[in-house]
Protein backbone atom coordinates (compact mmCIF):
# COMPACT_ATOMS: atom_id res chain seq x y z
CA UNK A 1 0.00 0.00 0.00
CA UNK A 2 2.82 2.41 0.96
CA UNK A 3 4.56 1.66 -2.35
CA UNK A 4 1.34 2.39 -4.25
CA UNK A 5 0.87 5.75 -2.48
CA UNK A 6 4.50 6.67 -3.11
CA UNK A 7 4.14 5.96 -6.82
CA UNK A 8 0.94 8.04 -6.93
CA UNK A 9 2.72 11.01 -5.32
CA UNK A 10 5.62 10.66 -7.78
CA UNK A 11 3.15 10.66 -10.68
CA UNK A 12 1.37 13.77 -9.37
CA UNK A 13 4.66 15.59 -8.79
CA UNK A 14 5.86 14.76 -12.28
CA UNK A 15 2.57 15.96 -13.76
CA UNK A 16 2.83 19.26 -11.90
CA UNK A 17 6.41 19.80 -13.07
CA UNK A 18 5.73 18.99 -16.72
CA UNK A 19 2.39 19.53 -18.40
CA UNK A 20 0.98 19.84 -21.88
CA UNK A 21 -0.81 23.02 -22.90
CA UNK A 22 -2.09 24.59 -26.11
CA UNK A 23 -0.92 28.08 -27.07
CA UNK A 24 -2.89 29.12 -30.15
CA UNK A 25 -1.39 27.01 -32.98
CA UNK A 26 1.28 25.48 -30.75
CA UNK A 27 1.04 22.49 -28.48
CA UNK A 28 3.68 22.95 -25.80
CA UNK A 29 5.17 20.99 -22.95
CA UNK A 30 5.74 23.22 -19.93
CA UNK A 31 8.66 22.67 -17.56
CA UNK A 32 9.22 23.64 -13.94
CA UNK A 33 12.02 26.08 -14.84
CA UNK A 34 9.58 28.24 -16.86
CA UNK A 35 10.82 26.86 -20.17
CA UNK A 36 8.83 24.88 -22.69
CA UNK A 37 9.19 22.54 -25.65
CA UNK A 38 7.09 22.89 -28.79
CA UNK A 39 5.46 19.50 -29.13
CA UNK A 40 3.34 20.16 -32.23
CA UNK A 41 2.52 23.01 -34.58
CA UNK A 42 -1.08 22.88 -35.82
CA UNK A 43 -1.22 26.10 -37.84
CA UNK A 44 -1.35 26.61 -41.60
CA UNK A 45 1.04 29.53 -42.05
CA UNK A 46 3.31 29.87 -45.08
CA UNK A 47 5.89 32.05 -43.34
CA UNK A 48 6.41 31.60 -39.61
CA UNK A 49 8.43 33.36 -36.92
CA UNK A 50 8.42 30.96 -33.99
CA UNK A 51 7.86 33.05 -30.82
CA UNK A 52 10.49 33.01 -28.07
CA UNK A 53 7.80 32.73 -25.38
CA UNK A 54 4.48 30.92 -25.27
CA UNK A 55 2.05 31.43 -22.38
CA UNK A 56 4.87 33.06 -20.40
CA UNK A 57 7.23 30.10 -20.88
CA UNK A 58 10.53 30.49 -22.77
CA UNK A 59 10.75 28.27 -25.84
CA UNK A 60 14.05 26.37 -25.54
CA UNK A 61 13.40 23.28 -27.64
CA UNK A 62 11.63 22.22 -30.79
CA UNK A 63 10.47 18.73 -29.99
CA UNK A 64 10.65 15.53 -32.01
CA UNK A 65 8.38 15.71 -35.10
CA UNK A 66 6.98 19.07 -33.94
CA UNK A 67 6.58 20.52 -37.46
CA UNK A 68 6.61 17.24 -39.38
CA UNK A 69 4.48 17.18 -42.52
CA UNK A 70 3.71 20.94 -42.31
CA UNK A 71 3.59 21.13 -46.08
CA UNK A 72 2.39 24.74 -46.30
CA UNK A 73 5.47 26.20 -44.63
CA UNK A 74 7.90 27.96 -46.96
CA UNK A 75 10.05 29.85 -44.43
CA UNK A 76 10.71 29.58 -40.70
CA UNK A 77 12.67 31.70 -38.24
CA UNK A 78 13.74 29.98 -35.02
CA UNK A 79 14.19 32.29 -32.00
CA UNK A 80 17.53 32.56 -30.21
CA UNK A 81 16.03 31.06 -27.07
CA UNK A 82 16.07 27.61 -28.73
CA UNK A 83 19.00 25.30 -27.96
CA UNK A 84 17.88 22.01 -29.51
CA UNK A 85 16.04 20.91 -32.65
CA UNK A 86 14.58 17.45 -32.12
CA UNK A 87 14.45 14.32 -34.27
CA UNK A 88 12.29 14.73 -37.36
CA UNK A 89 11.41 18.28 -36.25
CA UNK A 90 10.78 19.51 -39.82
CA UNK A 91 10.35 16.10 -41.44
CA UNK A 92 8.76 16.31 -44.89
CA UNK A 93 8.24 20.08 -44.88
CA UNK A 94 8.69 19.83 -48.63
CA UNK A 95 7.73 23.45 -49.43
CA UNK A 96 10.32 24.85 -47.02
CA UNK A 97 12.88 26.98 -48.86
CA UNK A 98 14.54 28.96 -46.04
CA UNK A 99 15.07 28.47 -42.33
CA UNK A 100 17.04 30.57 -39.86
CA UNK A 101 18.90 28.64 -37.18
CA UNK A 102 20.18 30.92 -34.38
CA UNK A 103 23.58 30.79 -32.66
CA UNK A 104 21.91 29.37 -29.55
CA UNK A 105 21.25 25.95 -31.12
CA UNK A 106 23.73 23.24 -30.08
CA UNK A 107 22.14 20.09 -31.53
CA UNK A 108 20.23 19.20 -34.70
CA UNK A 109 18.38 15.91 -34.27
CA UNK A 110 18.19 12.83 -36.45
CA UNK A 111 16.12 13.38 -39.59
CA UNK A 112 15.44 16.98 -38.54
CA UNK A 113 15.10 18.22 -42.15
CA UNK A 114 14.41 14.85 -43.79
CA UNK A 115 12.83 15.33 -47.25
CA UNK A 116 12.75 19.12 -47.14
CA UNK A 117 12.99 19.00 -50.92
CA UNK A 118 12.86 22.74 -51.65
CA UNK A 119 15.37 23.81 -48.97
CA UNK A 120 17.96 25.65 -51.05
CA UNK A 121 20.38 26.81 -48.37
CA UNK A 122 20.98 26.49 -44.67
CA UNK A 123 23.55 27.99 -42.34
CA UNK A 124 24.70 25.83 -39.46
CA UNK A 125 25.81 28.20 -36.69
CA UNK A 126 29.08 27.89 -34.76
CA UNK A 127 27.14 26.86 -31.66
CA UNK A 128 26.14 23.47 -33.12
CA UNK A 129 28.19 20.51 -31.88
CA UNK A 130 26.07 17.59 -33.12
CA UNK A 131 24.16 16.81 -36.33
CA UNK A 132 22.01 13.66 -36.17
CA UNK A 133 21.84 10.82 -38.66
CA UNK A 134 19.69 11.42 -41.76
CA UNK A 135 19.41 15.08 -40.66
CA UNK A 136 19.29 16.51 -44.20
CA UNK A 137 18.37 13.33 -46.08
CA UNK A 138 16.62 14.00 -49.38
CA UNK A 139 17.12 17.79 -49.34
CA UNK A 140 17.26 17.74 -53.12
CA UNK A 141 17.73 21.50 -53.64
CA UNK A 142 20.75 21.90 -51.37
CA UNK A 143 23.87 22.50 -53.48
CA UNK A 144 26.37 23.02 -50.68
CA UNK A 145 26.70 22.99 -46.93
CA UNK A 146 29.32 24.30 -44.51
CA UNK A 147 30.29 22.47 -41.32
CA UNK A 148 31.51 24.91 -38.64
CA UNK A 149 34.50 24.30 -36.38
CA UNK A 150 32.23 23.53 -33.40
CA UNK A 151 30.77 20.29 -34.84
CA UNK A 152 32.22 17.16 -33.26
CA UNK A 153 29.57 14.61 -34.26
CA UNK A 154 27.77 13.98 -37.56
CA UNK A 155 25.44 11.00 -37.76
CA UNK A 156 25.46 8.46 -40.57
CA UNK A 157 23.78 9.48 -43.84
CA UNK A 158 23.25 13.02 -42.54
CA UNK A 159 23.54 14.38 -46.11
CA UNK A 160 22.51 11.29 -48.07
CA UNK A 161 20.30 11.42 -51.17
CA UNK A 162 20.77 15.18 -51.61
CA UNK A 163 20.69 15.10 -55.41
CA UNK A 164 22.01 18.64 -56.00
CA UNK A 165 24.70 18.57 -53.29
CA UNK A 166 28.09 18.93 -54.96
CA UNK A 167 30.25 20.24 -52.16
CA UNK A 168 30.62 19.93 -48.39
CA UNK A 169 32.85 22.58 -46.84
CA UNK A 170 34.44 22.12 -43.42
CA UNK A 171 35.92 24.95 -41.37
CA UNK A 172 39.70 24.54 -41.30
CA UNK A 173 39.68 24.77 -37.49
CA UNK A 174 37.37 21.77 -37.09
CA UNK A 175 39.21 19.11 -35.10
CA UNK A 176 36.94 16.20 -36.01
CA UNK A 177 36.09 16.55 -39.70
CA UNK A 178 37.73 17.61 -42.93
CA UNK A 179 36.92 17.80 -46.62
CA UNK A 180 38.95 16.89 -49.69
CA UNK A 181 37.51 18.19 -52.97
CA UNK A 182 34.12 18.57 -51.31
CA UNK A 183 34.03 15.04 -49.86
CA UNK A 184 33.47 14.79 -46.10
CA UNK A 185 35.84 12.77 -43.89
CA UNK A 186 35.90 11.89 -40.21
CA UNK A 187 39.60 12.55 -39.64
CA UNK A 188 39.72 11.13 -36.12
CA UNK A 189 38.40 7.68 -37.08
CA UNK A 190 39.65 7.84 -40.69
CA UNK A 191 36.21 7.26 -42.19
CA UNK A 192 34.93 8.49 -45.54
CA UNK A 193 31.68 9.98 -44.23
CA UNK A 194 29.89 11.46 -47.27
CA UNK A 195 30.51 11.67 -50.98
CA UNK A 196 28.01 14.31 -52.20
CA UNK A 197 25.38 12.73 -54.46
CA UNK A 198 25.29 15.72 -56.79
CA UNK A 199 28.87 15.33 -57.99
CA UNK A 200 28.98 14.43 -61.67
CA UNK A 201 32.36 12.65 -61.78
CA UNK A 202 32.18 9.10 -63.15
CA UNK A 203 35.13 7.75 -61.15
CA UNK A 204 36.51 8.27 -57.67
CA UNK A 205 39.52 6.93 -55.78
CA UNK A 206 39.14 6.80 -52.00
CA UNK A 207 42.28 8.31 -50.43
CA UNK A 208 44.92 5.96 -49.03
CA UNK A 209 44.82 5.64 -45.26
CA UNK A 210 41.05 5.55 -44.86
CA UNK A 211 40.06 2.71 -42.54
CA UNK A 212 36.38 2.44 -43.40
CA UNK A 213 33.62 3.57 -45.72
CA UNK A 214 30.85 5.01 -43.58
CA UNK A 215 27.19 4.06 -43.48
CA UNK A 216 25.48 5.61 -46.51
CA UNK A 217 28.75 7.21 -47.67
CA UNK A 218 27.94 6.90 -51.41
CA UNK A 219 24.16 6.65 -51.00
CA UNK A 220 22.54 7.06 -54.42
CA UNK A 221 25.63 8.54 -56.10
CA UNK A 222 24.33 7.47 -59.49
CA UNK A 223 26.96 9.20 -61.66
CA UNK A 224 29.81 6.98 -60.48
CA UNK A 225 30.74 4.04 -62.70
CA UNK A 226 33.98 3.09 -60.93
CA UNK A 227 35.20 3.47 -57.35
CA UNK A 228 38.67 2.48 -56.19
CA UNK A 229 38.97 1.24 -52.61
CA UNK A 230 42.49 1.35 -51.08
CA UNK A 231 43.89 -1.60 -49.15
CA UNK A 232 43.80 0.41 -45.91
CA UNK A 233 40.00 -0.03 -45.73
CA UNK A 234 38.84 -2.75 -43.35
CA UNK A 235 35.07 -2.14 -43.28
CA UNK A 236 32.34 -1.19 -45.74
CA UNK A 237 29.38 0.29 -43.87
CA UNK A 238 25.65 -0.28 -44.15
CA UNK A 239 24.04 1.28 -47.23
CA UNK A 240 27.54 2.42 -48.26
CA UNK A 241 26.92 2.17 -52.03
CA UNK A 242 23.12 1.92 -51.99
CA UNK A 243 21.56 3.01 -55.28
CA UNK A 244 24.85 3.56 -57.15
CA UNK A 245 23.08 2.29 -60.24
CA UNK A 246 25.82 3.24 -62.71
CA UNK A 247 28.48 1.28 -60.84
CA UNK A 248 29.52 -1.55 -63.16
CA UNK A 249 32.23 -3.20 -61.12
CA UNK A 250 34.18 -2.86 -57.89
CA UNK A 251 37.31 -4.46 -56.48
CA UNK A 252 37.12 -5.17 -52.79
CA UNK A 253 40.67 -5.29 -51.41
CA UNK A 254 41.85 -8.12 -49.21
CA UNK A 255 42.03 -5.77 -46.22
CA UNK A 256 38.23 -5.65 -45.90
CA UNK A 257 36.76 -7.80 -43.12
CA UNK A 258 33.11 -6.72 -43.05
CA UNK A 259 30.50 -5.70 -45.61
CA UNK A 260 27.47 -4.06 -43.99
CA UNK A 261 23.74 -4.54 -44.49
CA UNK A 262 22.47 -3.32 -47.88
CA UNK A 263 26.00 -2.16 -48.74
CA UNK A 264 25.50 -2.63 -52.51
CA UNK A 265 21.69 -2.73 -52.65
CA UNK A 266 20.12 -1.39 -55.86
CA UNK A 267 23.46 -1.24 -57.71
CA UNK A 268 21.58 -2.36 -60.79
CA UNK A 269 24.56 -2.19 -63.20
CA UNK A 270 26.92 -4.22 -61.02
CA UNK A 271 27.78 -7.31 -63.04
CA UNK A 272 30.21 -9.25 -60.86
CA UNK A 273 31.84 -9.19 -57.43
CA UNK A 274 34.79 -11.06 -55.99
CA UNK A 275 34.86 -11.08 -52.21
CA UNK A 276 38.39 -11.57 -50.81
CA UNK A 277 39.49 -14.11 -48.21
CA UNK A 278 39.74 -11.36 -45.59
CA UNK A 279 35.95 -10.93 -45.43
CA UNK A 280 34.26 -12.73 -42.55
CA UNK A 281 30.85 -11.04 -42.56
CA UNK A 282 28.41 -10.06 -45.32
CA UNK A 283 25.38 -8.15 -44.05
CA UNK A 284 21.70 -8.69 -44.76
CA UNK A 285 20.54 -7.66 -48.25
CA UNK A 286 24.11 -6.66 -49.14
CA UNK A 287 23.46 -7.19 -52.87
CA UNK A 288 19.68 -7.03 -53.07
CA UNK A 289 18.32 -5.36 -56.20
CA UNK A 290 21.58 -5.92 -58.12
CA UNK A 291 19.65 -6.99 -61.21
CA UNK A 292 22.71 -7.27 -63.49
CA UNK A 293 24.69 -9.43 -61.09
CA UNK A 294 25.58 -12.72 -62.71
CA UNK A 295 28.20 -14.04 -60.32
CA UNK A 296 29.57 -13.63 -56.82
CA UNK A 297 32.70 -15.35 -55.58
CA UNK A 298 32.44 -16.02 -51.84
CA UNK A 299 35.60 -17.18 -50.05
CA UNK A 300 35.93 -19.90 -47.40
CA UNK A 301 36.32 -17.17 -44.77
Amino acid sequence: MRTSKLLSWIFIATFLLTSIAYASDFEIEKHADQTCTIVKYRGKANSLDIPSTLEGFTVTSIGDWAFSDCRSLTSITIPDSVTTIGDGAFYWCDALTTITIPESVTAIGAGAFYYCWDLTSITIPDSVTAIGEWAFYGCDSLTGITIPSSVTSIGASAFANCDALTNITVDVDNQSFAQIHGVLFDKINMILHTYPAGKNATSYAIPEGMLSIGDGAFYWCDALTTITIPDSVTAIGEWAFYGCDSLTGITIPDSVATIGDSAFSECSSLAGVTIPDSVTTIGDSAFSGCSSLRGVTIPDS
Side-chain angles (χ1 to χ4, degrees):
M1 182 64 73
R2 288 179 179 177
T3 301
S4 178
K5 286 182 178 179
L6 177 61
L7 290 173
S8 296
W9 279 112
I10 290 172
F11 175 80
I12 292 167
T14 302
F15 181 80
L16 290 172
L17 288 172
T18 303
S19 61
I20 300 293
Y22 290 89
S24 61
D25 292 332
F26 297 93
E27 181 182 339
I28 62 173
E29 183 180 273
K30 296 178 178 179
H31 308 296
D33 60 357
Q34 290 299 117
T35 65
C36 69
T37 297
I38 295 175
V39 176
K40 190 66 180 174
Y41 174 71
R42 302 184 183 281
K44 301 294 182 182
N46 298 120
S47 180
L48 179 67
D49 288 344
I50 299 172
S52 59
T53 60
L54 288 167
E55 294 193 353
F57 286 73
T58 302
V59 177
T60 57
S61 178
I62 297 173
D64 297 348
W65 315 99
F67 290 85
S68 63
D69 209 30
C70 289
R71 308 186 79 167
S72 64
L73 284 172
T74 59
S75 66
I76 298 171
T77 300
I78 299 172
D80 59 12
S81 57
V82 170
T83 59
T84 59
I85 298 173
D87 296 348
F90 299 96
Y91 176 93
W92 220 305
C93 292
D94 57 359
L96 189 63
T97 59
T98 57
I99 186 163
T100 303
I101 299 176
E103 291 284 349
S104 54
V105 171
T106 60
I108 298 172
F113 298 96
Y114 192 106
Y115 272 150
C116 289
W117 290 328
D118 289 339
L119 191 60
T120 55
S121 65
I122 191 163
T123 300
I124 299 172
D126 291 338
S127 54
V128 171
T129 60
I131 299 171
E133 60 184 4
W134 310 96
F136 296 93
Y137 177 93
C139 291
D140 287 347
S141 298
L142 272 179
T143 58
I145 196 158
T146 299
I147 309 298
S149 60
S150 55
V151 171
T152 58
S153 173
I154 303 175
S157 306
F159 310 108
N161 201 26
C162 295
D163 289 349
L165 187 65
T166 59
N167 189 68
I168 298 172
T169 302
V170 181
D171 189 290
V172 293
D173 293 327
N174 191 295
Q175 299 299 303
S176 302
F177 296 92
Q179 63 87 20
I180 302 173
H181 302 304
V183 179
L184 179 64
F185 294 89
D186 175 339
K187 63 184 181 183
I188 293 177
N189 300 298
M190 301 301 285
I191 299 171
L192 192 158
H193 188 287
T194 304
Y195 182 95
K199 282 185 171 293
N200 58 14
T202 57
S203 64
Y204 180 72
I206 296 170
E208 292 284 346
M210 289 299 110
L211 299 179
S212 63
I213 300 168
D215 294 350
F218 290 88
Y219 195 101
W220 226 289
C221 294
D222 54 8
L224 288 168
T225 60
T226 58
I227 298 170
T228 303
I229 303 173
D231 57 12
S232 56
V233 170
T234 60
I236 297 173
E238 297 179 1
W239 311 89
F241 299 98
Y242 184 96
C244 293
D245 54 12
S246 297
L247 192 64
T248 56
I250 194 160
T251 299
I252 300 172
D254 57 12
S255 55
V256 172
T258 60
I259 297 172
D261 296 350
S262 302
F264 295 93
S265 287
E266 305 304 326
C267 291
S268 57
S269 298
L270 194 62
V273 177
T274 298
I275 298 169
D277 289 337
S278 56
V279 172
T280 58
T281 302
I282 300 171
D284 294 344
S285 304
F287 298 95
S288 70
C290 293
S291 54
S292 298
L293 197 61
R294 295 293 177 265
V296 177
T297 302
I298 300 175
D300 292 340
S301 60

